[in-house]
């Protein structure tokens, strides 16, 4: 649907951003689709900014269903074709600017050019979406879409600032009642005969895919095990040594052959971001596996690695706040377009 506009984009990106761009491109290619870059140029400096633009169409294994990106909004109900600008919807929007340049005007110009590109093809698309914008990007996007009846969905992303030098320091920073709750959850996890082991995602992605599908089905997203296996393999292939995969095994499985839960962490320099998690709900019931797996053990590792922030994602916010998290506001902006199919 879109042609690649430039091959200069990777030069502007840090290593973490470059790898995420590669992952997204490969995921789209596997689904028979392709993305492009909008590139800002300076006469003297060459390329100074880049915005990825991603067309998506059913089947949507390359990106989450728009309903998830928009926190349940029906703005894209009945969709068949669409376009994400800045992100495929699994991480905050990326509008990259060359280091040392004034970012505001360049980002605004990139967003306008991306929106112009989309509106030129609006008769081919059911929707366009700017996923997970920070406040600065939202301020730049809002005037572009103001006349198009946009749908704005605010979401909150939980993160734990890593300001402690040990897990004991993290506990000490919590209230007494929180400390007691966290210790209780850790004891319950151990008494359920469960343990957490770091595994190679590239070697175990097919075993983990059914667990991811369990979680996705809970939120009424229908994907196949093969699609989720391909998604996990894509992360392992493109993000490589920047990922940590933690899996839960039972003590009755000494050879760690049958995982019952897992999470994948993307280590973006000082920011560690949970990409996904999956579980066997029956096997982990009552064991507080979720917070042991996505908070306590990752936090222990992040502290040891000198990270500054552990990003826990956008679900179960109240529970995450109760474990010392803070919140960052992100806003997704969607616009229904001219193609048939929106109900």
């Amino acid at each position: 649907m879109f042609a690649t506009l430039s091959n200069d984009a990777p030069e502007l990106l840090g290593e973490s951003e470059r790898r995420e761009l590669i992952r997204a491109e490969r995921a789209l290619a596997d689904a028979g689709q392709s993305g492009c870059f909008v590139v800002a140029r300076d006469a003297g400096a060459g390329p100074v900014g880049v915005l990825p633009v991603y067309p998506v169409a059913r089947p949507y294994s390359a990106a989450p269903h728009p309903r998830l990106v928009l926190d349940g909004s029906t703005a894209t109900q009945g969709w068949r074709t669409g376009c994400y600008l800045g992100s495929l919807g699994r991480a905050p929007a990326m509008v990259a600017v060359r280091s040392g340049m004034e970012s505001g005007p360049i980002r605004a110009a990139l967003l306008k050019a991306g929106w112009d590109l989309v509106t030129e093809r609006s008769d081919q698309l059911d929707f366009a979406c700017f996923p997970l914008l920070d406040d600065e990007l939202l301020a730049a996007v809002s005037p572009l879409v103001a006349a198009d009846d946009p749908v704005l969905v605010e979401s909150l992303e939980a993160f734990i600032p890593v300001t402690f030098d040990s897990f004991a320091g993290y506990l000490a920073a919590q209230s007494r009642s929180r400390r007691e709750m966290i210790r209780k959850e850790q004891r319950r996890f151990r008494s359920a005969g469960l343990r957490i082991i770091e595994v190679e995602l590239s070697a175990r992605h097919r075993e983990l895919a059914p667990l991811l599908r369990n979680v996705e089905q809970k939120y009424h997203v229908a994907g196949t095990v093969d699609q989720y296996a391909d998604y996990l393999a894509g992360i392992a292939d493109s993000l490589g040594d920047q990922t940590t995969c933690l899996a839960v095994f039972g003590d009755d499985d000494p050879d760690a052959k049958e995982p019952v839960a897992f999470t994948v962490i993307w280590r973006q320099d000082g920011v560690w971001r949970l990409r996904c998690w999956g579980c066997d709900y029956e096997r982990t019931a009552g064991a507080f596996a979720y917070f042991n797996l996505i908070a306590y053990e990752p936090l222990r590792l992040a502290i040891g690695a000198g990270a500054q922030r552990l990003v826990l994602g956008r679900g179960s916010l109240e529970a995450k706040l109760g474990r010392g998290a803070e919140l960052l506001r992100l806003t997704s902006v969607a616009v229904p377009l001219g193609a048939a199919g929106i109900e």
Side-chain angles (χ1 to χ4, degrees):
M1 185 180 300
F2 295 90
T4 299
L5 298 184
S6 172
N7 293 320
D8 296 323
E11 299 177 6
L12 303 172
L13 307 176
E15 182 66 12
S16 293
E17 293 172 323
R18 187 182 66 81
R19 292 197 189 193
E20 172 62 8
L21 198 66
I22 291 170
R23 186 203 68 78
E25 289 291 309
R26 290 177 177 173
L28 285 168
D30 288 344
Q33 301 163 40
S34 62
C36 67
F37 312 126
V38 175
V39 177
R41 298 179 179 278
D42 179 271
V48 296
V50 60
L51 166 72
V53 179
Y54 298 122
V56 294
R58 290 183 173 177
Y60 48 84
S61 57
H65 192 288
R67 185 178 65 249
L68 293 183
V69 177
L70 295 169
D71 281 355
S73 169
T74 59
T76 56
Q77 185 176 356
W79 79 282
R80 293 191 304 262
T81 61
C83 188
Y84 289 130
L85 295 94
S87 164
L88 271 175
R90 297 189 186 274
M94 178 180 70
V95 187
V97 175
R98 184 184 293 280
S99 177
M101 305 293 291
E102 185 179 356
S103 64
I106 297 174
R107 288 176 126 194
L110 288 166
L111 291 165
K112 183 180 185 306
W115 182 244
D116 289 344
L117 184 65
V118 167
T119 53
E120 288 173 6
R121 295 158 173 80
S122 61
D123 60 339
Q124 305 169 37
L125 300 169
D126 294 320
F127 78 96
C129 181
F130 294 88
L132 305 176
L133 303 172
D134 61 27
D135 288 347
E136 179 186 343
L137 290 177
L138 177 62
V141 166
S142 294
L144 299 177
V145 300
D148 296 285
D149 195 22
V151 176
L152 275 66
V153 178
E154 184 177 299
S155 57
L156 297 169
E157 183 176 74
F159 68 94
I160 298 179
V162 183
T163 57
F164 352 89
D165 57 10
S166 67
F167 192 80
Y170 158 70
L171 286 175
Q174 310 307 312
S175 66
R176 179 177 178 179
S177 60
R178 283 186 184 177
R179 288 197 299 271
E180 292 175 351
M181 176 190 67
I182 292 167
R183 288 172 176 143
K184 173 186 175 183
E185 291 176 348
Q186 291 180 305
R187 289 194 301 269
R188 183 76 64 83
F189 182 79
R190 292 190 296 267
S191 66
L194 299 174
R195 68 194 193 284
I196 298 174
I197 299 175
E198 184 173 344
V199 301
E200 288 291 333
L201 180 59
S202 59
R204 310 291 296 254
H205 64 279
R206 294 205 173 275
E207 301 167 48
L208 301 174
L211 303 174
L212 177 56
R213 184 170 183 262
N214 287 345
V215 172
E216 296 286 285
Q217 284 186 315
K218 180 179 178 181
Y219 296 98
H220 310 293
V221 179
T224 68
V225 170
D226 286 344
Q227 286 174 330
Y228 292 124
D230 290 344
Y231 168 65
L232 294 173
I235 292 178
D237 186 38
S238 56
L239 303 186
D241 59 5
Q242 289 188 343
T243 61
T244 294
C245 182
L246 302 177
V248 175
F249 298 90
D251 289 341
D252 57 355
D253 180 16
D255 296 325
K257 293 182 177 180
E258 298 183 9
V260 298
F262 81 99
T263 192
V264 176
I265 304 164
W266 182 21
R267 305 189 310 276
Q268 300 173 274
D269 301 319
V271 178
W272 287 29
R273 178 179 296 276
L274 300 181
R275 291 303 297 253
C276 59
W277 91 290
C279 77
D280 178 334
Y281 286 106
E282 182 176 352
R283 179 64 179 85
T284 59
F288 296 104
Y290 179 69
F291 282 106
N292 279 276
L293 179 62
I294 67 98
Y296 306 146
E297 187 61 19
L299 184 56
R300 192 188 308 276
L301 295 175
I303 292 169
Q308 287 86 52
R309 176 178 292 198
L310 175 64
V311 181
L312 303 179
R314 294 181 291 136
S316 305
L317 294 177
E318 185 174 349
K320 290 170 182 174
L321 287 173
R323 288 153 181 87
E326 299 179 12
L327 298 178
L328 171 68
R329 183 177 67 182
L330 298 169
T331 304
S332 296
V333 180
V335 177
L337 295 172
I342 297 296
E343 299 174 6

